[in-house]
Amino acid sequence: MELNRRKFLQKSIASATGVTAAAFLPGELFGRSLHSTNRPEEIVLKSKDRSAPKNSIRFSVIGLNHGHIYGMVSALIGGGGELVSVYSREPELLPPFTRRFPEVKVAKSEEEILEDSSIQLVASAGIPVERAPLGIRVMKSGKDYMADKPGIVTFEQFNEVKKTQKETQRIYSIMYSERLGNPASVKAGELVQAGAIGKVVQTIGLGPHRMRPESRPDWFFYPEKAGGILCDIGSHQCDQFLFYTQSQQAEVSLSQLGNFGNSQYPQYMDFGDMNVRSPHATGYIRIDWFTPEGLDTWGDGRTFILGTEGYIEMRKYIDIAGREGGNHLFLVNQKETKYYNCSEINMPYGEQLVNDVVNRTETAMTQDHCFLATELALTAQKNAYILKG
């Protein structure tokens, strides 16, 4: 008993001595203090000089029901596209578009565009449920297609689009703009591909949006027309998961939907989340329509990319800590902590898609990737557990 008591006292004294000595050691031996952090190195990325696009195409627009069409058209023009004509079944949507693009010809019908053999691609931001049937008609007319997301809203549409795309070998591209149209997302892709955070093992995508029901068209509130929150906004996040984890296979392991703040629209769901996984990575996605009016933008969209050697955080549209504007990226790895202002980064998607139309390549996005992102979103929407609001 006396021997055991001596050993206990010796260990206790040694432990106390170690704690006391540690108090005098520099904090760097244990990592920086939890209560003091150095401000990360700030880097303002400048746009690189780019040569004029090598290729050009003639394209037209059918469907102006969502404002995303302006970014889509601008991307194509910046990439070498020539906007030829536009058709809208709703004539009241034409004036803002023709003011923005005054050289465009207003077509009298959809057929006028589809029958014009000089048109190589059609872009559309029509009502979501109408986008896939239009895309099928476009591909059968011998043209490539660029749709706003969601580019497909049912599995029936999905199967028919895949069948037609395989038969015609035309491009069916969906512009997942939260990655393809966001400079911080482009920089994140460059850093991941350069190995800045090691092997990516997880992504977390948060996609909050502001509601303002009075500004929304009637079709917005009906999932059979708009696709539903996970099919619609969730497709952005599915695209990012696949891209940053470099996954060619993936599945949905859980999804949930709820209407918590819009009971006047009983079919509408204003919240959704889902888990996805591939053989080597996982992803969590949360979407909502609860952005408060106190925020200076429509949503604090954030993406987290976890790697084996570090992580990346993007605050795409606002930094509530006070930095101006959007396109903020934070990088932390074994060597450094950096902040990147990505606002001036060149966006490659438009030029890549133009090149793909000309060269019959898949540099903007592979067709398999495009369809898999949509399939995940459709699966999550269809199989979601319904939460009680």
Side-chain angles (χ1 to χ4, degrees):
M1 290 292 295
E2 184 62 26
L3 182 61
N4 289 339
R5 183 170 176 274
R6 285 180 190 169
K7 288 183 177 180
F8 174 76
L9 289 173
Q10 288 171 351
K11 288 182 179 179
S12 298
I13 293 170
S15 298
T17 303
V19 170
T20 304
F24 297 98
L25 293 175
E28 284 75 7
L29 292 181
F30 298 96
R32 292 189 175 89
S33 167
L34 293 176
H35 302 289
S36 64
T37 56
N38 291 335
R39 190 171 181 83
E41 178 185 358
E42 298 201 4
I43 301 170
V44 179
L45 298 170
K46 299 296 183 181
S47 60
K48 298 178 181 178
D49 292 335
R50 298 172 64 186
S51 57
K54 296 180 180 179
N55 294 308
S56 64
I57 62 169
R58 288 167 56 84
F59 74 96
S60 293
V61 170
I62 299 175
L64 302 173
N65 299 87
H66 199 292
H68 285 163
I69 193 63
Y70 293 94
M72 296 163 64
V73 169
S74 296
L76 287 169
I77 292 175
E82 176 191 351
L83 175 60
V84 177
S85 55
V86 59
Y87 173 71
S88 173
R89 287 190 308 182
E90 301 86 3
E92 66 274 13
L93 299 178
L94 282 168
F97 189 83
T98 55
R99 283 196 297 269
R100 176 78 171 270
F101 305 105
E103 302 302 318
V104 69
K105 173 188 174 183
V106 177
K108 296 178 181 179
S109 66
E110 174 186 305
E111 289 71 25
E112 180 180 332
I113 292 174
L114 296 185
E115 293 173 4
D116 184 344
S117 60
S118 75
I119 302 301
Q120 297 161 271
L121 178 141
V122 172
S124 179
I127 296 172
V129 71
E130 299 173 358
R131 293 172 188 169
L134 172 61
I136 291 169
R137 295 194 296 275
V138 168
M139 290 188 291
K140 288 183 176 180
S141 75
K143 305 178 193 327
D144 296 314
Y145 185 59
M146 175 192 188
D148 184 19
K149 65 81 221 159
I152 302 168
V153 301
T154 69
F155 273 107
E156 290 75 18
Q157 289 184 349
F158 181 72
N159 293 331
E160 188 62 28
V161 166
K162 287 187 69 176
K163 177 175 177 287
T164 304
Q165 191 280 323
K166 185 176 181 180
E167 290 173 350
T168 63
Q169 291 298 297
R170 307 314 303 181
I171 296 169
Y172 194 104
S173 182
I174 300 173
M175 187 174 180
Y176 302 111
S177 56
E178 289 191 16
R179 176 174 68 86
L180 298 171
N182 183 269
S185 298
V186 172
K187 182 61 180 178
E190 294 174 357
L191 290 169
V192 167
Q193 290 171 17
I197 59 171
K199 180 181 179 181
V200 175
V201 297
Q202 189 203 37
T203 63
I204 298 175
L206 307 180
H209 284 59
R210 179 175 283 137
M211 169 59 79
R212 290 181 178 169
E214 68 280 0
S215 69
R216 303 290 174 179
D218 289 341
W219 54 260
F220 173 83
F221 298 99
Y222 297 93
E224 66 271 19
K225 296 181 180 180
I229 189 170
L230 290 177
C231 169
D232 178 15
I233 312 174
S235 64
H236 281 305
Q237 308 297 335
C238 293
D239 162 70
Q240 291 175 89
F241 166 75
L242 295 175
F243 178 74
Y244 293 123
T245 63
Q246 291 295 291
S247 296
Q248 282 80 47
Q249 302 173 27
E251 63 182 2
V252 176
S253 54
L254 176 147
S255 60
Q256 304 170 120
L257 292 168
N259 183 336
F260 295 102
N262 291 277
S263 58
Q264 69 274 35
Y265 304 109
Q267 298 181 50
Y268 183 73
M269 297 292 168
D270 53 25
F271 173 89
D273 70 348
M274 56 189 287
N275 290 330
V276 293
R277 63 188 174 208
S278 70
H280 61 270
T282 70
Y284 173 72
I285 293 164
R286 192 197 77 208
I287 312 296
D288 67 76
W289 285 96
F290 296 130
T291 294
E293 291 293 331
L295 193 71
D296 286 338
T297 189
W298 54 266
D300 187 5
R302 302 168 73 184
T303 302
F304 302 82
I305 309 172
L306 175 65
T308 54
E309 301 296 326
Y311 61 89
I312 289 170
E313 177 185 351
M314 287 175 271
R315 303 200 73 143
K316 298 184 180 183
Y317 310 110
I318 192 170
D319 177 12
I320 61 173
R323 294 180 176 87
E324 293 184 0
N327 303 308
H328 307 283
L329 185 150
F330 302 87
L331 166 69
V332 182
N333 61 20
Q334 306 290 8
K335 299 178 181 179
E336 57 198 358
T337 299
K338 287 184 175 180
Y339 159 75
Y340 293 90
N341 181 332
C342 304
S343 296
E344 297 186 29
I345 283 184
N346 296 322
M347 306 299 295
Y349 171 71
E351 185 172 358
Q352 289 172 338
L353 184 56
V354 167
N355 292 339
D356 289 341
V357 170
V358 173
N359 300 323
R360 312 317 298 167
T361 50
E362 293 185 322
T363 62
M365 178 190 302
T366 69
Q367 196 63 74
D368 287 344
H369 174 105
C370 177
F371 286 151
L372 181 55
T374 289
E375 184 177 9
L376 291 173
L378 287 171
T379 301
Q381 183 74 34
K382 181 179 180 180
N383 297 338
Y385 176 82
I386 305 302
L387 301 161
K388 294 182 179 180

